[in-house]
Amino acid sequence: MTKKPVILSTDPGIDDVAAMTISLFDKEIDLRMIVATWGNVELKYTLQNALGLETFLHTRVPVVRGANQPLVRPAISAASVHGKTGIAGYEFKNFDQSLLKPGLAATLMHEEIQTSPEKITLMGIGPLTDYALLFKQYPEDLAKIEKIVIMGGNIGHGNHSPFAEYNIAGDPEAAQVVFQSGIPIQVAPLEIGNQAHVTSEQLDRVKACGEVGQMLYSMFANIHETDGSNQIKIYDPTAVGILVRPDLYTFKPAHVEIELAGKFTAGASAMDFLSEQPNAEIATKVKTAEFADWFIEAIKIANEGRK
């Protein structure tokens, strides 16, 4: 099997940690680089969490220091959901600093894209600041990118504001650059994360997946869902699912524009499913039970693959 070469931009974040864990051990993914960006919490914590996770998992994928703020706007925070450090309920004890690759994220991604014999897939599960900087600084890279898979945006109401989802609202200008890039884009919007939940019983199955499962259980058990739901919504791993298990999803083409100026709608993802000029494929449904089974099995595989 030929693995898909992937660069991951992430702002860990509890669900980001789950997505990273799955990506690091999935047999179809060749994870070339992890770009830790600002997002759920400050960059110092997201970078620390990426290094801590890899040290815990005994993996050696290079970690790159990404953007520490949005392109234009003040940074927002999701510490109320994820905890001050981004991973409430758990604390990594060791951080292998040798995993941290020095240099600017855009330049390091550019070098990886240009030297790769295969086209690279970009996966974005946080604000898209670093990808926007890459596209603006190195437009020649666009032709060597296979596609972009994004967890972000919303079809209906948002989770940051009535009309905006958190990852896109964090840096709407960056998101607009990405959606206007001309690269094929697949999107797992907020609604897919809402559908792809796990129950308390399924969370117990996660806990049974060895030390890796116990680590993730400790984090997920401490998520404070803003809607008060007892179901744990699985957002960022849905992007990994799109890449390796697209059969679990229903997609519809749409033209996506990001609202930049609206007083009440800034950061909203305007998804026009009637457009004759689509620029993205939007996941509109996920097979919830099958997704949960895949998610739990992927964690089991990660635990078995951890040396």
Side-chain angles (χ1 to χ4, degrees):
M1 178 182 295
T2 302
K3 290 189 171 186
K4 302 176 177 70
V6 173
I7 292 174
L8 173 64
S9 176
T10 176
D11 59 336
I14 293 171
D15 51 339
D16 299 77
V17 168
M20 292 166 62
T21 299
I22 294 169
S23 299
L24 284 161
F25 291 97
D26 190 279
K27 63 183 179 181
E28 294 186 33
I29 293 177
D30 174 14
L31 193 57
R32 302 279 182 86
M33 182 183 300
I34 296 170
V35 181
T37 187
W38 80 278
N40 284 314
V41 289
E42 299 172 55
L43 177 63
K44 67 178 180 180
Y45 293 124
T46 62
L47 188 61
Q48 175 180 285
N49 294 341
L51 292 171
L53 176 67
E54 281 219 80
T55 305
F56 173 81
L57 295 174
H58 308 147
T59 52
R60 301 291 307 170
V61 173
V63 175
V64 173
R65 186 189 306 270
N68 68 355
Q69 59 185 313
L71 295 179
V72 177
R73 301 165 191 251
I76 60 178
S77 173
S80 61
V81 176
H82 295 265
K84 180 181 178 181
T85 66
I87 51 172
Y90 195 85
E91 182 178 343
F92 291 118
K93 301 189 186 312
N94 299 300
F95 307 89
D96 186 348
Q97 296 295 329
S98 71
L99 294 169
L100 185 58
K101 191 171 184 178
L104 295 173
T107 300
L108 294 171
M109 288 191 287
H110 162 70
E111 292 170 353
E112 183 64 42
I113 290 166
Q114 288 297 322
T115 57
S116 175
E118 314 93 358
K119 285 188 174 184
I120 298 282
T121 292
L122 304 181
M123 190 185 308
I125 57 176
L128 299 171
T129 311
D130 286 298
Y131 290 154
L133 291 169
L134 170 68
F135 297 168
K136 288 296 187 182
Q137 188 69 23
Y138 299 104
E140 64 270 27
D141 288 354
L142 298 177
K144 296 201 69 177
I145 296 170
E146 182 72 25
K147 64 180 177 179
I148 310 170
V149 181
I150 295 169
M151 188 279 121
N154 52 299
I155 299 170
H157 283 275
N159 63 346
H160 173 69
S161 72
F163 300 101
E165 180 274 332
Y166 184 86
N167 284 346
I168 302 300
D171 198 341
E173 286 77 13
Q176 183 73 329
V177 168
V178 170
F179 278 100
Q180 290 181 345
S181 66
I183 299 170
I185 298 175
Q186 291 180 303
V187 180
L190 182 65
E191 288 79 3
I192 291 297
N194 291 339
Q195 292 177 39
H197 60 260
V198 295
T199 64
S200 58
E201 179 182 356
Q202 289 166 330
L203 197 59
D204 286 338
R205 289 171 57 195
V206 169
K207 186 178 182 180
C209 294
E211 291 185 36
V212 174
Q214 290 163 22
M215 175 266 294
L216 290 170
Y217 175 89
S218 296
M219 295 184 193
F220 277 109
N222 280 274
I223 284 184
H224 303 292
E225 294 287 0
T226 55
D227 62 0
S229 172
N230 291 325
Q231 296 173 337
I232 301 299
K233 299 176 179 64
I234 307 296
Y235 293 107
D236 291 335
T238 61
V240 188
I242 282 178
L243 193 57
V244 299
R245 287 295 309 272
D247 57 296
L248 298 178
Y249 301 80
T250 299
F251 295 92
K252 290 185 179 180
H255 185 87
V256 181
E257 295 283 347
I258 308 301
E259 176 59 64
L260 303 179
K263 181 177 179 181
F264 301 106
T265 58
S269 311
M271 297 185 179
D272 182 1
F273 291 96
L274 300 178
S275 173
E276 295 182 359
Q277 296 180 312
N279 61 355
E281 283 189 321
I282 312 299
T284 57
K285 292 181 182 179
V286 62
K287 298 174 182 176
T288 302
E290 290 92 332
F291 178 90
D293 287 341
W294 166 77
F295 177 72
I296 296 165
E297 181 63 21
I299 295 169
K300 181 180 178 182
I301 289 170
N303 187 71
E304 292 171 349
R306 176 177 178 254
K307 305 298 183 186

